[in-house]
Amino acid sequence: MTIRSHLSLYRRHWIIIVLLTLITGGASYYYGLQKATRPYETTLFISLGVAQTETNFNPDSPYDYGQAADNFTETVQGWFKNPGLLNEINESVGEDIDISARRQEKQNLVITFDAPSEKKAQEISD
C-alpha cells in the first residue's frame, strides 16, 4: 500500500478513529482518577510459625512443626477470600477497601490493600 491509499483509508474512517481515541483517553483519565483517590498502597508482610513450649515440644518432629505452620498459613490466606471477613473489615474501618492476601514461601503471608490516607492505612492494618 502506498501513502496515498493509507491517507484515503484514514479519511474514510476518521470518525471511528476520533471516537476510539476519545473513548480510550476518557477511560484512561477515569482510571487515573480512581487510582489517585487511593494513594497509599500498603503491603503487610506476616510470618507465621509454631511456638514450641514445654508441653508441645517434641525434638523428634521439627518437620511436623513446619508443616503445621505451613497449613495454618494457607488457612489464614483463605480467610481473606471469605466475604464475611472482608465485609467485617470494611465495616470496622468505615471504608470499602480492596484487600487481598497471597502466600510467599512457606510461612510468609503478604497482605495488600489501598487506603485513601496514611492514617486510614494504619487503622486498616491494625
Side-chain angles (χ1 to χ4, degrees), residues 19-33:
L19 284 175
L20 287 175
T21 303
L22 290 175
I23 290 170
T24 304
S28 300
Y29 180 73
Y30 177 74
Y31 179 75
L33 285 178

Side-chain angles (χ1 to χ4, degrees), residues 5-50:
S5 62
H6 281 291
L7 290 175
S8 68
L9 180 68
Y10 293 141
R11 273 188 237 141
R12 281 183 291 178
H13 300 291
W14 71 272
I15 293 175
I16 294 172
I17 294 170
V18 169
L19 284 175
L20 287 175
T21 303
L22 290 175
I23 290 170
T24 304
S28 300
Y29 180 73
Y30 177 74
Y31 179 75
L33 285 178
Q34 292 292 35
K35 284 305 243 182
T37 60
R38 300 201 179 268
Y40 291 94
E41 294 179 3
T42 307
T43 301
L44 299 174
F45 183 82
I46 299 173
S47 292
L48 301 169
V50 176

Side-chain angles (χ1 to χ4, degrees), residues 3-119:
I3 293 177
R4 182 167 282 167
S5 62
H6 281 291
L7 290 175
S8 68
L9 180 68
Y10 293 141
R11 273 188 237 141
R12 281 183 291 178
H13 300 291
W14 71 272
I15 293 175
I16 294 172
I17 294 170
V18 169
L19 284 175
L20 287 175
T21 303
L22 290 175
I23 290 170
T24 304
S28 300
Y29 180 73
Y30 177 74
Y31 179 75
L33 285 178
Q34 292 292 35
K35 284 305 243 182
T37 60
R38 300 201 179 268
Y40 291 94
E41 294 179 3
T42 307
T43 301
L44 299 174
F45 183 82
I46 299 173
S47 292
L48 301 169
V50 176
Q52 296 178 358
T53 63
E54 292 177 14
T55 58
N56 73 352
F57 181 70
N58 182 356
D60 297 331
S61 64
Y63 178 75
D64 292 338
Y65 293 124
Q67 284 297 106
D70 286 347
N71 291 339
F72 185 67
T73 302
E74 289 179 13
T75 300
V76 173
Q77 180 185 5
W79 292 349
F80 287 94
K81 296 177 184 173
N82 181 348
L85 175 70
L86 299 178
N87 288 336
E88 189 175 318
I89 292 171
N90 288 336
E91 288 174 7
S92 69
V93 297
E95 189 82 28
D96 187 26
I97 60 168
D98 182 25
I99 188 167
S100 66
R102 66 179 171 82
R103 197 171 148 202
Q104 180 190 20
E105 295 299 323
K106 296 287 183 181
Q107 296 112 12
N108 298 325
L109 195 64
V110 176
I111 301 169
T112 56
F113 61 90
D114 293 341
S117 67
E118 186 176 0
K119 181 181 177 185

